[in-house]
């Protein structure tokens, strides 16, 4: 699902192509327009700009390479269909500067002979080839330990579903706020929404910030509101946002 610039995130989707250009849903796997006999298929499983997320781990004829940066360690994944998944650690796993790569042995074997040594993951599997960013790696180890102590990926998944559910329920509760992503494709990590009266969005963001609710502005290409509720965001933080949404609606509807 390549990034394309969304033209008008607010208009109601009419037909399928318009739906796709609005990034309001994730197409079913059988709708994907794939090149026959492709060596691999590249996907991004959670899309952070509009807030779309796949709900299944697909299995295709070709191995899948997936950028899972923005949902890594937020849920258990079924890795069967993936040849390689990678995740910049900075969302859920640790500090910026380290990227986690999970690669199938079979997939590793398929490399072209012309691949430079440094760019061949096999090199890094076999030995420590260069000096890695040791402090970020140390922190990722701490985070995985934290996750394991709380009950692992099933436990954090339950927390994440609860957090996202609180926000989507609040958005749906009245027509003061609305979500541009269809049910079934809504991201558990990046909850995006708009205000019916879009003139109020700047005020919403400003007052939120005064309450200590930071970084809620939507991505610069789409605007609106985006709550990125990665693993480190506690339930209490989401509850504070829901409470603010209630108060703002009472004051301005
Ligand atoms: C987070 C993310 C980006 C942006 O990367 P940053 O370095 O954090 O700004 C780009 N693409 C994907 C898929 C991401 O999850």
């Amino acid at each position: 699902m390549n990034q394309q610039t969304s033209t008008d995130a607010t208009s109601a989707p009419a037909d399928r192509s318009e739906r796709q250009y609005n990034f309001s849903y994730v197409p079913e796997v059988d709708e994907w327009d794939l090149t026959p006999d492709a060596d691999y298929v590249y996907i991004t499983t959670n899309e952070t700009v509009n807030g779309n997320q796949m709900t299944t781990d697909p299995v295709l004829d070709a191995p899948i390479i997936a950028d899972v940066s923005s949902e890594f360690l937020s849920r258990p994944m079924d890795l069967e269909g993936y040849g390689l998944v990678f995740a910049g650690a900075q969302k859920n796993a640790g500090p910026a500067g380290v990227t986690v790569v999970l690669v199938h042995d079979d997939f590793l074997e398929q490399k072209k002979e012309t691949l430079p040594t440094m760019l061949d993951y096999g090199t890094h599997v076999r030995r420590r080839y260069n000096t890695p960013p040791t402090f970020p790696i140390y922190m990722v180890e701490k985070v995985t330990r934290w996750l394991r102590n709380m009950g692992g990926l099933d436990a954090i998944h339950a927390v994440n579903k609860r957090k996202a559910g609180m926000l989507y329920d609040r958005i749906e509760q009245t027509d003061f706020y609305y979500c541009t992503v269809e049910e079934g494709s809504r991201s558990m990590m990046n909850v995006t929404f708009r205000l019916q009266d879009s003139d109020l969005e700047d005020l919403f963001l400003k007052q939120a910030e005064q309450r200590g609710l930071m970084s809620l502005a939507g991505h610069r290409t789409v605007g609106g509101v985006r709550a990125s509720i990665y693993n480190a965001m506690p339930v209490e933080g989401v509850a504070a946002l829901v409470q603010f949404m209630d108060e703002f609606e009472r004051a301005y509807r």
Side-chain angles (χ1 to χ4, degrees), residues 44 46 48 67 69-70 90-91 230:
T44 299
N46 179 68
T48 61
D67 178 348
S69 298
S70 55
Q90 68 269 26
K91 307 258 171 62
Y230 297 116

PDB file of all heavy atoms in Angstrom, residues 44 46 48 67 69-70 90-91 230, ligand 1:
ATOM      1  N   THR A  44       3.005  -2.157   3.890  1.00  0.00           N
ATOM      2  CA  THR A  44       3.120  -1.517   5.200  1.00  0.00           C
ATOM      3  C   THR A  44       1.839  -1.864   5.950  1.00  0.00           C
ATOM      4  O   THR A  44       0.746  -1.552   5.489  1.00  0.00           O
ATOM      5  CB  THR A  44       3.258   0.009   5.049  1.00  0.00           C
ATOM      6  OG1 THR A  44       4.435   0.277   4.296  1.00  0.00           O
ATOM      7  CG2 THR A  44       3.362   0.683   6.406  1.00  0.00           C
ATOM      8  N   ASN A  46       0.606  -1.116   8.991  1.00  0.00           N
ATOM      9  CA  ASN A  46      -0.132  -0.038   9.668  1.00  0.00           C
ATOM     10  C   ASN A  46       0.327   1.271   9.066  1.00  0.00           C
ATOM     11  O   ASN A  46       1.525   1.547   9.004  1.00  0.00           O
ATOM     12  CB  ASN A  46       0.133  -0.047  11.175  1.00  0.00           C
ATOM     13  CG  ASN A  46      -0.607   1.073  11.895  1.00  0.00           C
ATOM     14  OD1 ASN A  46      -1.833   1.071  11.988  1.00  0.00           O
ATOM     15  ND2 ASN A  46       0.128   2.063  12.382  1.00  0.00           N
ATOM     16  N   THR A  48       0.345   5.281   9.129  1.00  0.00           N
ATOM     17  CA  THR A  48       0.236   6.234  10.247  1.00  0.00           C
ATOM     18  C   THR A  48      -0.380   7.573   9.866  1.00  0.00           C
ATOM     19  O   THR A  48      -0.736   8.343  10.744  1.00  0.00           O
ATOM     20  CB  THR A  48       1.633   6.508  10.843  1.00  0.00           C
ATOM     21  OG1 THR A  48       2.456   7.071   9.814  1.00  0.00           O
ATOM     22  CG2 THR A  48       2.274   5.261  11.382  1.00  0.00           C
ATOM     23  N   ASP A  67       6.990  -3.454   6.201  1.00  0.00           N
ATOM     24  CA  ASP A  67       7.405  -2.411   7.141  1.00  0.00           C
ATOM     25  C   ASP A  67       6.362  -2.394   8.259  1.00  0.00           C
ATOM     26  O   ASP A  67       5.236  -1.963   8.053  1.00  0.00           O
ATOM     27  CB  ASP A  67       7.455  -1.063   6.412  1.00  0.00           C
ATOM     28  CG  ASP A  67       7.844   0.086   7.336  1.00  0.00           C
ATOM     29  OD1 ASP A  67       7.844  -0.109   8.567  1.00  0.00           O
ATOM     30  OD2 ASP A  67       8.141   1.179   6.810  1.00  0.00           O
ATOM     31  N   SER A  69       6.964  -1.019  11.255  1.00  0.00           N
ATOM     32  CA  SER A  69       7.515  -0.077  12.246  1.00  0.00           C
ATOM     33  C   SER A  69       6.482   0.410  13.254  1.00  0.00           C
ATOM     34  O   SER A  69       6.741   0.462  14.454  1.00  0.00           O
ATOM     35  CB  SER A  69       8.085   1.154  11.539  1.00  0.00           C
ATOM     36  OG  SER A  69       9.141   0.790  10.699  1.00  0.00           O
ATOM     37  N   SER A  70       5.311   0.793  12.745  1.00  0.00           N
ATOM     38  CA  SER A  70       4.370   1.496  13.615  1.00  0.00           C
ATOM     39  C   SER A  70       3.427   0.561  14.355  1.00  0.00           C
ATOM     40  O   SER A  70       2.539   1.024  15.060  1.00  0.00           O
ATOM     41  CB  SER A  70       3.579   2.512  12.796  1.00  0.00           C
ATOM     42  OG  SER A  70       2.951   1.865  11.718  1.00  0.00           O
ATOM     43  N   GLN A  90      11.607   3.151  16.898  1.00  0.00           N
ATOM     44  CA  GLN A  90      11.221   4.373  17.626  1.00  0.00           C
ATOM     45  C   GLN A  90       9.745   4.522  17.985  1.00  0.00           C
ATOM     46  O   GLN A  90       9.390   5.446  18.705  1.00  0.00           O
ATOM     47  CB  GLN A  90      11.686   5.609  16.848  1.00  0.00           C
ATOM     48  CG  GLN A  90      10.964   5.853  15.531  1.00  0.00           C
ATOM     49  CD  GLN A  90      11.627   5.213  14.334  1.00  0.00           C
ATOM     50  OE1 GLN A  90      12.311   4.232  14.461  1.00  0.00           O
ATOM     51  NE2 GLN A  90      11.422   5.766  13.158  1.00  0.00           N
ATOM     52  N   LYS A  91       8.886   3.628  17.504  1.00  0.00           N
ATOM     53  CA  LYS A  91       7.471   3.767  17.860  1.00  0.00           C
ATOM     54  C   LYS A  91       7.144   2.931  19.100  1.00  0.00           C
ATOM     55  O   LYS A  91       6.634   3.443  20.067  1.00  0.00           O
ATOM     56  CB  LYS A  91       6.589   3.319  16.695  1.00  0.00           C
ATOM     57  CG  LYS A  91       6.915   4.014  15.375  1.00  0.00           C
ATOM     58  CD  LYS A  91       5.952   5.112  15.034  1.00  0.00           C
ATOM     59  CE  LYS A  91       6.382   5.962  13.852  1.00  0.00           C
ATOM     60  NZ  LYS A  91       6.515   5.241  12.585  1.00  0.00           N
ATOM     61  N   TYR A 230       0.886   4.583  20.896  1.00  0.00           N
ATOM     62  CA  TYR A 230       1.799   3.450  20.873  1.00  0.00           C
ATOM     63  C   TYR A 230       1.866   2.789  22.254  1.00  0.00           C
ATOM     64  O   TYR A 230       1.281   3.285  23.223  1.00  0.00           O
ATOM     65  CB  TYR A 230       3.179   3.918  20.399  1.00  0.00           C
ATOM     66  CG  TYR A 230       3.138   4.438  18.972  1.00  0.00           C
ATOM     67  CD1 TYR A 230       3.429   5.771  18.678  1.00  0.00           C
ATOM     68  CD2 TYR A 230       2.778   3.585  17.926  1.00  0.00           C
ATOM     69  CE1 TYR A 230       3.382   6.242  17.372  1.00  0.00           C
ATOM     70  CE2 TYR A 230       2.727   4.052  16.618  1.00  0.00           C
ATOM     71  CZ  TYR A 230       3.038   5.373  16.347  1.00  0.00           C
ATOM     72  OH  TYR A 230       2.968   5.832  15.059  1.00  0.00           O
TER      73      TYR A 230
HETATM   74  C1  LIG B   1       6.931   6.065  11.590  1.00  0.00           C
HETATM   75  C2  LIG B   1       6.938   5.730  10.181  1.00  0.00           C
HETATM   76  C3  LIG B   1       7.520   6.607   9.276  1.00  0.00           C
HETATM   77  C4  LIG B   1       8.154   7.895   9.747  1.00  0.00           C
HETATM   78  O1  LIG B   1       9.382   7.595  10.298  1.00  0.00           O
HETATM   79  P1  LIG B   1      10.062   8.549  11.391  1.00  0.00           P
HETATM   80  O2  LIG B   1      11.504   8.333  11.168  1.00  0.00           O
HETATM   81  O3  LIG B   1       9.594   8.047  12.710  1.00  0.00           O
HETATM   82  O4  LIG B   1       9.608   9.938  11.102  1.00  0.00           O
HETATM   83  C5  LIG B   1       7.523   6.251   7.940  1.00  0.00           C
HETATM   84  N1  LIG B   1       6.964   5.107   7.512  1.00  0.00           N
HETATM   85  C6  LIG B   1       6.402   4.240   8.360  1.00  0.00           C
HETATM   86  C7  LIG B   1       5.808   2.982   7.829  1.00  0.00           C
HETATM   87  C8  LIG B   1       6.362   4.517   9.713  1.00  0.00           C
HETATM   88  O5  LIG B   1       5.777   3.675  10.554  1.00  0.00           O
END
